[in-house]
Amino acid sequence: MIRLYSRLMIAIALVLPLSLTAQTRPEERCDTAPDMDSSARAGIEAAAQQFFSDAQGGNTMAMQQRSIPGIANSFQGIASAVQSNKDKIAGGQAHMRNEWLLEAPGTQVYDRAEFLCGTFNSSQRTTFVIPGLPPGTYAVAIQDVTGSKQPFTITYVLQQQAGQWKLAGYYAKAHQIGPHDGLWYWVQARDLKKQGSQHTSFFYYLEAADLLAPVPFMSTPQLEALYQEQGASVPKDIPQNPQQPVPVNLNGQTFQIVQAFIVPDDKQGLDLVYKYSLPDISDQVKTFQQNMAFIKALVQQYPEYKAFTTIVARAVAPNGQDFGTQLPVNEIK
């Protein structure tokens, strides 16, 4: 599923040697929590709890020291994620939602490691698909954080090395936006689509998927159904690839839309961001006026966008630099 937007939701990808190639691929194996040996399960939960305690205290040095080499050698992204979320999870308690033990046997790197967890065709099954995975023993542990400023979900990818669980991936993001979780956005997306608000519906589908999927390489029957609905709701004038802009006519002027996405705001709502091409943004006064005209024309053409808190227009120059302007929806006349 193509993601049509990027957001500071702190998703730190696995650092894996993709340059290696896989040959004969042994069969991957996944054990769910009930199927694990009790000592293995206890070890995974203890490691996850220790990493949570370190993250809550902002102790990135300790986390780095207990990471696999590929992560430890490029730890800046995770360190930034931990520090930026430290206050958000302060005072919270971590509760284990689920955990899986993943075995990738053999000696060759997997082109595409696929772990099928749980009973086939069961509503509880989970699938992990990880490209470029070196052989080894891994675990995925998901924690829900409650009692903090906002509900949070933290997912750890762990790799067993020398009998210890090392950090191999770290994903942390809010579980809700204000009082609303992913299921709420999913229901709203369906209702908006029935009402003919196709564009807002699509963005709500995106938000639902982001809140419901702890990590991008995980799939469940629920997520598969959501992605299917989302894929069937893509408006033709929303670009799916920033390298392939889509022309949109607003108030008699054609704009090349580069990207459109949503981000949570500090008012417990969503801001809508549009990026469009502009040959020259050197005159900031002129570009500001162009952005304001773009925003007003956009909302005039799509009144449904008044469901968002703020509209942001970012004019993008040929060299990739951009200039942004925001306008609260309640100020748009």
Side-chain angles (χ1 to χ4, degrees), residues 145-164:
V145 182
T146 60
S148 52
K149 289 184 178 180
Q150 61 184 128
F152 240 71
T153 297
I154 302 179
T155 302
Y156 311 90
V157 180
L158 309 173
Q159 183 176 4
Q160 195 170 57
Q161 294 185 346
Q164 295 183 331

mmCIF file of all heavy atoms in Angstrom, residues 145-164:
data_model
loop_
_atom_site.group_PDB
_atom_site.id
_atom_site.type_symbol
_atom_site.label_atom_id
_atom_site.label_comp_id
_atom_site.label_asym_id
_atom_site.label_seq_id
_atom_site.Cartn_x
_atom_site.Cartn_y
_atom_site.Cartn_z
ATOM 1 N N VAL A 145 0.810 2.443 25.989
ATOM 2 C CA VAL A 145 1.167 3.291 27.122
ATOM 3 C C VAL A 145 -0.067 4.067 27.558
ATOM 4 O O VAL A 145 -0.673 4.799 26.769
ATOM 5 C CB VAL A 145 2.297 4.270 26.745
ATOM 6 C CG1 VAL A 145 2.695 5.112 27.953
ATOM 7 C CG2 VAL A 145 3.503 3.500 26.214
ATOM 8 N N THR A 146 -0.452 3.909 28.806
ATOM 9 C CA THR A 146 -1.610 4.607 29.355
ATOM 10 C C THR A 146 -1.170 5.444 30.559
ATOM 11 O O THR A 146 -0.091 5.233 31.114
ATOM 12 C CB THR A 146 -2.694 3.611 29.802
ATOM 13 O OG1 THR A 146 -2.147 2.745 30.812
ATOM 14 C CG2 THR A 146 -3.167 2.763 28.626
ATOM 15 N N GLY A 147 -2.022 6.379 30.942
ATOM 16 C CA GLY A 147 -1.720 7.215 32.088
ATOM 17 C C GLY A 147 -0.784 8.358 31.774
ATOM 18 O O GLY A 147 -0.398 9.116 32.664
ATOM 19 N N SER A 148 -0.409 8.527 30.509
ATOM 20 C CA SER A 148 0.452 9.618 30.074
ATOM 21 C C SER A 148 -0.407 10.729 29.489
ATOM 22 O O SER A 148 -1.640 10.663 29.512
ATOM 23 C CB SER A 148 1.472 9.115 29.042
ATOM 24 O OG SER A 148 0.813 8.426 28.000
ATOM 25 N N LYS A 149 0.238 11.758 28.930
ATOM 26 C CA LYS A 149 -0.499 12.886 28.372
ATOM 27 C C LYS A 149 -1.435 12.443 27.254
ATOM 28 O O LYS A 149 -2.508 13.008 27.072
ATOM 29 C CB LYS A 149 0.475 13.947 27.858
ATOM 30 C CG LYS A 149 1.217 14.696 28.957
ATOM 31 C CD LYS A 149 2.092 15.783 28.376
ATOM 32 C CE LYS A 149 2.792 16.563 29.476
ATOM 33 N NZ LYS A 149 3.660 17.649 28.937
ATOM 34 N N GLN A 150 -1.022 11.465 26.485
ATOM 35 C CA GLN A 150 -1.884 10.917 25.449
ATOM 36 C C GLN A 150 -1.551 9.448 25.271
ATOM 37 O O GLN A 150 -0.416 9.030 25.511
ATOM 38 C CB GLN A 150 -1.690 11.675 24.124
ATOM 39 C CG GLN A 150 -0.303 11.611 23.550
ATOM 40 C CD GLN A 150 -0.161 12.454 22.293
ATOM 41 O OE1 GLN A 150 0.721 13.268 22.183
ATOM 42 N NE2 GLN A 150 -1.043 12.258 21.335
ATOM 43 N N PRO A 151 -2.536 8.634 24.903
ATOM 44 C CA PRO A 151 -2.270 7.212 24.702
ATOM 45 C C PRO A 151 -1.230 7.013 23.607
ATOM 46 O O PRO A 151 -1.294 7.643 22.555
ATOM 47 C CB PRO A 151 -3.635 6.655 24.289
ATOM 48 C CG PRO A 151 -4.632 7.647 24.801
ATOM 49 C CD PRO A 151 -3.953 8.981 24.694
ATOM 50 N N PHE A 152 -0.271 6.145 23.870
ATOM 51 C CA PHE A 152 0.836 5.928 22.944
ATOM 52 C C PHE A 152 0.983 4.443 22.677
ATOM 53 O O PHE A 152 0.632 3.596 23.503
ATOM 54 C CB PHE A 152 2.132 6.472 23.552
ATOM 55 C CG PHE A 152 2.783 7.546 22.724
ATOM 56 C CD1 PHE A 152 2.216 8.797 22.621
ATOM 57 C CD2 PHE A 152 3.965 7.305 22.036
ATOM 58 C CE1 PHE A 152 2.807 9.792 21.865
ATOM 59 C CE2 PHE A 152 4.568 8.281 21.284
ATOM 60 C CZ PHE A 152 3.994 9.534 21.197
ATOM 61 N N THR A 153 1.521 4.135 21.510
ATOM 62 C CA THR A 153 1.870 2.759 21.168
ATOM 63 C C THR A 153 3.348 2.727 20.813
ATOM 64 O O THR A 153 3.809 3.536 20.011
ATOM 65 C CB THR A 153 1.036 2.243 19.978
ATOM 66 O OG1 THR A 153 -0.342 2.221 20.336
ATOM 67 C CG2 THR A 153 1.463 0.835 19.595
ATOM 68 N N ILE A 154 4.070 1.810 21.419
ATOM 69 C CA ILE A 154 5.488 1.651 21.117
ATOM 70 C C ILE A 154 5.725 0.211 20.684
ATOM 71 O O ILE A 154 5.289 -0.734 21.342
ATOM 72 C CB ILE A 154 6.379 1.977 22.328
ATOM 73 C CG1 ILE A 154 6.116 3.407 22.811
ATOM 74 C CG2 ILE A 154 7.857 1.812 21.957
ATOM 75 C CD1 ILE A 154 6.938 3.808 24.025
ATOM 76 N N THR A 155 6.405 0.065 19.555
ATOM 77 C CA THR A 155 6.731 -1.260 19.034
ATOM 78 C C THR A 155 8.243 -1.409 18.967
ATOM 79 O O THR A 155 8.940 -0.529 18.451
ATOM 80 C CB THR A 155 6.128 -1.466 17.638
ATOM 81 O OG1 THR A 155 4.707 -1.282 17.706
ATOM 82 C CG2 THR A 155 6.413 -2.873 17.124
ATOM 83 N N TYR A 156 8.737 -2.510 19.491
ATOM 84 C CA TYR A 156 10.163 -2.805 19.473
ATOM 85 C C TYR A 156 10.397 -4.011 18.567
ATOM 86 O O TYR A 156 9.684 -5.015 18.659
ATOM 87 C CB TYR A 156 10.679 -3.145 20.870
ATOM 88 C CG TYR A 156 10.273 -2.163 21.944
ATOM 89 C CD1 TYR A 156 9.071 -2.354 22.652
ATOM 90 C CD2 TYR A 156 11.053 -1.061 22.259
ATOM 91 C CE1 TYR A 156 8.682 -1.473 23.636
ATOM 92 C CE2 TYR A 156 10.663 -0.165 23.256
ATOM 93 C CZ TYR A 156 9.480 -0.375 23.932
ATOM 94 O OH TYR A 156 9.088 0.500 24.911
ATOM 95 N N VAL A 157 11.395 -3.924 17.718
ATOM 96 C CA VAL A 157 11.903 -5.088 17.017
ATOM 97 C C VAL A 157 13.202 -5.463 17.722
ATOM 98 O O VAL A 157 14.098 -4.628 17.878
ATOM 99 C CB VAL A 157 12.167 -4.796 15.530
ATOM 100 C CG1 VAL A 157 12.701 -6.046 14.839
ATOM 101 C CG2 VAL A 157 10.886 -4.329 14.851
ATOM 102 N N LEU A 158 13.284 -6.689 18.173
ATOM 103 C CA LEU A 158 14.438 -7.168 18.926
ATOM 104 C C LEU A 158 15.130 -8.286 18.167
ATOM 105 O O LEU A 158 14.481 -9.055 17.453
ATOM 106 C CB LEU A 158 14.006 -7.674 20.311
ATOM 107 C CG LEU A 158 13.137 -6.734 21.158
ATOM 108 C CD1 LEU A 158 12.658 -7.446 22.418
ATOM 109 C CD2 LEU A 158 13.904 -5.466 21.512
ATOM 110 N N GLN A 159 16.436 -8.369 18.306
ATOM 111 C CA GLN A 159 17.183 -9.486 17.744
ATOM 112 C C GLN A 159 18.024 -10.113 18.840
ATOM 113 O O GLN A 159 18.651 -9.415 19.633
ATOM 114 C CB GLN A 159 18.089 -9.038 16.598
ATOM 115 C CG GLN A 159 18.823 -10.201 15.934
ATOM 116 C CD GLN A 159 19.661 -9.791 14.739
ATOM 117 O OE1 GLN A 159 19.760 -8.599 14.426
ATOM 118 N NE2 GLN A 159 20.258 -10.757 14.056
ATOM 119 N N GLN A 160 18.012 -11.438 18.871
ATOM 120 C CA GLN A 160 18.758 -12.150 19.899
ATOM 121 C C GLN A 160 20.211 -12.324 19.457
ATOM 122 O O GLN A 160 20.488 -12.913 18.403
ATOM 123 C CB GLN A 160 18.126 -13.509 20.183
ATOM 124 C CG GLN A 160 18.599 -14.158 21.462
ATOM 125 C CD GLN A 160 17.779 -15.384 21.811
ATOM 126 O OE1 GLN A 160 17.684 -16.319 21.011
ATOM 127 N NE2 GLN A 160 17.190 -15.409 22.994
ATOM 128 N N GLN A 161 21.115 -11.801 20.259
ATOM 129 C CA GLN A 161 22.539 -11.933 19.984
ATOM 130 C C GLN A 161 23.256 -12.276 21.282
ATOM 131 O O GLN A 161 23.082 -11.587 22.292
ATOM 132 C CB GLN A 161 23.112 -10.634 19.398
ATOM 133 C CG GLN A 161 22.575 -10.289 18.016
ATOM 134 C CD GLN A 161 23.245 -9.070 17.416
ATOM 135 O OE1 GLN A 161 23.921 -8.315 18.092
ATOM 136 N NE2 GLN A 161 23.053 -8.877 16.112
ATOM 137 N N ALA A 162 24.037 -13.344 21.230
ATOM 138 C CA ALA A 162 24.789 -13.802 22.400
ATOM 139 C C ALA A 162 23.890 -13.960 23.621
ATOM 140 O O ALA A 162 24.259 -13.602 24.745
ATOM 141 C CB ALA A 162 25.936 -12.832 22.703
ATOM 142 N N GLY A 163 22.695 -14.480 23.388
ATOM 143 C CA GLY A 163 21.778 -14.751 24.484
ATOM 144 C C GLY A 163 21.055 -13.545 25.030
ATOM 145 O O GLY A 163 20.316 -13.664 26.021
ATOM 146 N N GLN A 164 21.215 -12.375 24.401
ATOM 147 C CA GLN A 164 20.558 -11.164 24.863
ATOM 148 C C GLN A 164 19.690 -10.585 23.750
ATOM 149 O O GLN A 164 20.005 -10.707 22.560
ATOM 150 C CB GLN A 164 21.595 -10.123 25.303
ATOM 151 C CG GLN A 164 22.419 -10.527 26.505
ATOM 152 C CD GLN A 164 23.375 -9.426 26.931
ATOM 153 O OE1 GLN A 164 23.823 -8.631 26.122
ATOM 154 N NE2 GLN A 164 23.669 -9.372 28.221
#
